[in-house]
Amino acid sequence: MRLFEVIDPDRTAKNVADFLSGKGRYKYRGYPKLLEDEQVFGKVSSSGGDITGVHGSRHNWVEEVMIDKAHCREAISCVKDAINTCLPAQRTILKERYINGAKRGIVMQMVLIGGNDEYQDADIVARTRFAAALDKFVKARGCEDLIPPLQVWIQEWE
């Protein structure tokens, strides 16, 4: 007998759905929160045009906000790049169903899938493929503090 790791597609797919839509355990760490944070960081500016922060302060808070915004943008880029690694129908499923919140039937028509079972399989494959790519991008770009791993690994004995 040997031990090896296998991805749990159902739990991984659930994590992706919750992450992209900002629900469940990803309510405060999901993709919508990243977009919101990036937008808020863009609204922060220094008073009087001084980018060095508060006069006489040792702490340059404006610079820190700019760094945080850049880091947040990098995390958003990870999500977009992971979506772009997917096939066209998979990209449509991810963007329309989970980011834009379209109804399942509408998305089925968009990707030209007629049967519920066929769509369910395509949906799970799209989400697991996205999770695999995203986890790699996040690790390579150092965004683990903003995007948690989405793949769920199970151990199986053979």
Side-chain angles (χ1 to χ4, degrees), residues 30-86:
Y31 186 58
K33 179 71 170 133
L34 284 174
L35 295 174
E36 178 186 318
D37 288 351
E38 192 269 339
Q39 186 177 26
V40 169
F41 288 140
K43 302 289 184 196
V44 175
S45 63
S46 61
S47 59
D50 179 11
I51 64 166
T52 61
V54 179
H55 180 67
S57 172
R58 291 181 171 173
H59 189 67
N60 189 342
W61 66 274
V62 174
E63 180 182 14
E64 286 182 12
V65 168
M66 291 168 63
I67 291 169
D68 288 344
K69 179 177 177 150
H71 187 55
C72 192
R73 280 187 174 172
E74 189 65 32
I76 292 168
S77 178
C78 287
V79 173
K80 290 178 178 179
D81 290 346
I83 288 172
N84 287 332
T85 66
C86 297

Side-chain angles (χ1 to χ4, degrees), residues 43-145:
K43 302 289 184 196
V44 175
S45 63
S46 61
S47 59
D50 179 11
I51 64 166
T52 61
V54 179
H55 180 67
S57 172
R58 291 181 171 173
H59 189 67
N60 189 342
W61 66 274
V62 174
E63 180 182 14
E64 286 182 12
V65 168
M66 291 168 63
I67 291 169
D68 288 344
K69 179 177 177 150
H71 187 55
C72 192
R73 280 187 174 172
E74 189 65 32
I76 292 168
S77 178
C78 287
V79 173
K80 290 178 178 179
D81 290 346
I83 288 172
N84 287 332
T85 66
C86 297
L87 298 172
Q90 294 169 341
R91 286 195 299 264
T92 300
I93 290 169
L94 293 168
K95 288 178 183 177
E96 296 303 326
R97 178 83 173 121
Y98 299 103
I99 295 174
N100 296 335
K103 300 279 186 196
R104 180 182 172 130
I106 302 291
V107 178
M108 287 173 68
Q109 290 174 356
M110 293 173 84
V111 294
L112 303 175
I113 295 177
N116 282 329
D117 291 342
E118 186 181 347
Y119 174 80
Q120 183 65 23
D121 290 343
D123 187 328
I124 289 175
V125 169
R127 289 185 278 162
T128 55
R129 181 175 180 157
F130 167 80
L134 182 65
D135 287 354
K136 288 176 181 71
F137 282 124
V138 166
K139 187 173 182 176
R141 296 179 185 172
C143 294
E144 296 97 333
D145 58 325

